[in-house]
Amino acid sequence: MRQTINGADLRRLIISAAASIEINKQALNELNVFPVPDGDTGTNMLVTLQSGLGAVTDSDKALCDVSRKFARAVTFGARGNSGVILSQFFKGLSERFYDSEIVDYTQFAEALESGVKSAYLAVPQPVEGTILTVVREAAEYVRRELEQGNVHTFNDVIDIFLDKAKVSLENTPELLEVLKSAGVVDSGGAGIIYVFEGMDKYLKNEALPEAGEGAAQAAGDYSGFDRKSTFEYGYCTELLLQLLRKKVDIDTFDVEP
């Protein structure tokens, strides 16, 4: 049973999470009916995690280094609505480790709620009954169990998170009519369960295919991104806003045709 994790452990946790998503990618795609029924939740979540992993190498042992590199790469590599939310959950979680060589299970439990806050901020109009609800209710439950003295290891944190996340996922159709009408649970919420099931397998030394590690994508080079940058295609595009000055007041955007 683990009491702490370091940078190498964090990387392996994410590798196992990505592998778990890859194994269940098609099932997640088939669940996808909200916000758009385009059948790509599993694909988007997988590509998002793989993009983050592409920035983290075997030589990155310090937790502060791994968390910084992963947080930046997973943000820039996010794909689709589910991928953006997942990336911001991991970014918020990782930010709590920027000054740490190792963290214990209590710090990780607290970081889960930081991840939830970051995920909610990533959505202009958060909708309950989605991945947001699942991660929030699970993280809050971990905190309550921690406060009551029922959490003693990293394994406990992940197990407790998963127990509540599964209950929350089953309730998503009661919160979102489109899910109830389609007879499915939220695909993003199901994805976060696969993420934590992958982490759980790593912590318990259980076998899991290394698909996530083998398919890690090279981190993108955004050093040339500036105000003169242009993009050839105008469809299915996520917007990256880079503020080039320290103080910028933004009220409206003028978009040239």
Side-chain angles (χ1 to χ4, degrees), residues 170-234:
E170 289 303 313
N171 191 52
T172 54
E174 301 304 317
L175 300 176
L176 200 54
E177 180 60 33
V178 65
L179 300 178
K180 193 170 187 178
S181 297
V184 298
V185 294
D186 180 65
S187 56
I192 203 69
I193 287 175
Y194 289 132
V195 163
F196 276 79
E197 284 182 343
M199 292 181 174
D200 186 53
K201 286 185 179 296
Y202 169 69
L203 291 175
K204 294 177 179 177
N205 295 314
E206 295 180 7
L208 187 70
E210 295 291 343
E213 182 173 25
Q217 299 186 8
D221 179 9
Y222 300 98
S223 60
F225 177 69
D226 59 28
R227 66 181 67 190
K228 295 181 180 180
S229 298
T230 59
F231 299 91
E232 181 178 356
Y233 302 107

Side-chain angles (χ1 to χ4, degrees), residues 6-74:
N6 58 23
D9 290 322
L10 179 61
R11 177 177 177 272
R12 296 297 305 180
L13 284 168
I14 299 167
I15 286 172
S16 293
S20 182
I21 288 289
E22 184 158 9
I23 293 167
N24 297 284
K25 179 180 70 174
Q26 189 56 38
L28 291 174
N29 287 343
E30 291 173 359
L31 281 176
N32 181 201
V33 298
F34 182 85
V36 179
D38 48 3
D40 62 0
T41 293
T43 302
N44 288 337
M45 294 182 83
L46 176 61
V47 171
T48 297
L49 289 177
Q50 288 174 340
S51 296
L53 283 171
V56 183
T57 67
D58 281 322
S59 61
D60 297 319
K61 299 300 183 183
L63 181 63
C64 53
D65 292 334
V66 172
S67 59
R68 284 179 184 275
K69 290 177 181 179
F70 178 76
R72 176 176 172 80
V74 79

